[in-house]
């Protein structure tokens, strides 16, 4: 662990860990009334908008990848196009188009579709897409190991990957910065999983206590206060009999529900302010030389990206030729 005071109760920043101290910090931040909770209730805060955004960014980054440097996070693990968390009525309250495209919109019945969507949005609410700015962090191989409940903390998951105790599609993979592609399978050596080994002090396994051949069974000893963390996201399919898990798909969000686990409300003020912070500091366009130096992304195919860019250029050139021939452009 790079920071020995990562569970400092004075800061009370929740982390990706099953540690009882981290559970206390989570309680301090979310349930206990007082100064700690007052820091994230911005409706009655005296801080400026910049301070609120910075504090929100610091809190969500403490949980989602605090071990990733901020520069590296913004360059590689922050999506190029952040999803918009604002309703369409806030972007264009009048809904009036100021050019001749209004006739095309009416002909295509897009105005009717937008009206129906706004009614559905008022009835169900917007999807908490702001939390999807951490979708790239959830694709990391060390994060998947932790989400699959094979490690007690994200720091231990990184140690397992670096020490070669994690296999990616049957091969040893020691780079914790790798982002998985849908369908990738990870396997963890059973000897490296802590709760599958006898603890240092004597502890009675109450789960298999009445089994006649208890001594022949694999010990299963969870740490204390681990029950709040025993959950698996929907985009991971684990198999504890083989100590493996499959990264099925990328996380998504729908109205009232976000698949990305976070200690804060997925559509609350903290996540929204953090989104506003990063929306103003989104990464620049990445050149080919920078893309060649990025961490391994198994879902990124340079040949397909180059082919898509060439197709986009061809479509743009074809539209321009058609416009020139029709006399729209002189």
């Amino acid at each position: 662990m790079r920071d020995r005071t990562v569970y400092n109760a004075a800061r009370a920043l929740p982390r990706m860990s099953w540690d009882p101290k981290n559970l206390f910090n989570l309680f301090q931040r979310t349930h206990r009334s007082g100064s700690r909770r007052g820091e994230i209730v911005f409706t009655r805060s005296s801080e400026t908008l910049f301070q609120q955004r910075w504090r929100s960014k610091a809190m969500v980054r403490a949980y989602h990848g605090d071990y990733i440097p901020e520069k590296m996070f913004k360059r590689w693990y922050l999506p190029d196009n952040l999803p918009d968390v604002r309703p369409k009525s806030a972007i264009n309250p009048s809904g009036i188009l100021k050019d001749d495209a209004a006739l095309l919109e009416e002909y295509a019945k897009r105005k009717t579709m937008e009206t129906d969507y706004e009614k559905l949005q008022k009835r169900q609410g917007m999807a908490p897409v702001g939390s999807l700015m951490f979708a790239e962090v959830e694709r990391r191989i060390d994060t998947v190991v932790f989400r699959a409940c094979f490690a007690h903390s994200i720091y231990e998951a990184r140690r397992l990957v670096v020490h070669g105790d994690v296999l990616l599609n049957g091969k040893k993979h020691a780079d914790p910065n790798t982002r998985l592609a849908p369908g990738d399978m990870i396997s963890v050596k059973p000897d490296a999983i802590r709760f599958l080994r006898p603890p240092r002090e004597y502890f009675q396994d109450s789960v298999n206590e009445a089994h006649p051949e208890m001594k022949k069974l694999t010990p299963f000893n969870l740490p204390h206060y681990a029950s709040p963390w025993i959950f698996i996201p929907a985009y991971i399919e684990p198999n504890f009999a083989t100590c493996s898990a499959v990264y099925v798909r990328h996380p998504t969000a729908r109205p009232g529900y976000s698949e990305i686990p976070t200690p804060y409300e997925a559509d609350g003020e903290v996540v929204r302010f953090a989104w506003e912070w990063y929306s103003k500091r989104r990464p620049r366009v990445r050149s080919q030389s920078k893309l060649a130096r990025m961490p391994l992304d198994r879902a990124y195919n340079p040949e397909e990206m180059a082919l898509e860019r060439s197709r986009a250029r061809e479509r743009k050139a074809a539209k321009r030729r058609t416009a020139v021939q029709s006399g729209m452009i002189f």
Side-chain angles (χ1 to χ4, degrees), residues 238-244:
N239 188 338
F240 294 102
T242 59
C243 297
S244 61

Side-chain angles (χ1 to χ4, degrees), residues 78-260:
L78 191 65
D80 293 335
N81 299 319
L82 290 179
D84 205 328
V85 301
R86 299 168 297 180
K88 290 187 177 181
S89 58
I91 302 174
N92 186 10
S94 61
I96 299 176
L97 299 176
K98 298 182 179 180
D99 52 12
D100 295 337
L103 298 176
L104 296 176
E105 296 282 342
E106 185 177 358
Y107 176 76
K109 297 184 179 181
R110 291 175 182 170
K111 298 299 295 182
T112 306
M113 296 171 60
E114 289 182 4
T115 304
D116 296 341
Y117 177 77
E118 290 178 0
K119 292 180 180 178
L120 180 64
Q121 179 178 296
K122 290 180 180 179
R123 186 170 68 252
Q124 294 184 352
M126 289 188 61
V129 293
S131 59
L132 294 181
M133 61 183 170
F134 302 109
E136 296 295 310
V137 177
E138 295 296 318
R139 289 178 51 200
R140 288 172 56 98
I141 186 173
D142 52 359
T143 307
V144 173
V145 171
F146 172 71
R147 295 298 188 198
C149 296
F150 292 135
H152 291 193
S153 66
I154 189 64
Y155 315 105
E156 183 179 1
R158 285 175 56 82
R159 179 181 60 81
L160 294 179
V161 176
V162 172
H163 289 186
D165 294 326
V166 178
L167 305 180
L168 175 60
N169 296 330
K171 297 181 181 180
K172 183 184 294 186
H173 192 83
D175 185 6
N177 300 318
T178 301
R179 283 172 284 179
L180 302 182
D184 284 343
M185 183 182 71
I186 61 160
S187 303
V188 184
K189 295 181 180 179
D191 297 339
I193 300 177
R194 258 203 289 174
F195 55 79
L196 295 183
R197 296 185 308 217
R200 296 179 180 178
E201 65 275 5
Y202 176 76
F203 181 76
Q204 184 67 29
D205 187 358
S206 58
V207 178
N208 302 314
E209 185 177 3
H211 199 279
E213 299 181 354
M214 179 180 174
K215 295 183 179 180
K216 298 181 181 180
L217 297 178
T218 302
F220 185 78
N221 305 304
L222 284 176
H224 299 293
Y225 306 103
S227 56
W229 313 105
I230 304 299
F231 63 92
I232 309 255
Y235 49 87
I236 298 176
E237 187 67 30
N239 188 338
F240 294 102
T242 59
C243 297
S244 61
V246 177
Y247 181 76
V248 181
R249 54 179 173 79
H250 299 322
T252 59
R254 62 176 183 266
Y257 175 72
S258 176
E259 291 184 343
I260 295 183

Side-chain angles (χ1 to χ4, degrees), residues 61-76:
R61 283 281 287 120
Y63 182 82
H64 295 280
D66 65 319
Y67 48 91
I68 305 175
E70 185 70 11
K71 184 177 180 180
M72 184 177 178
F73 172 79
K74 290 190 294 185
R75 176 174 294 179
W76 303 119

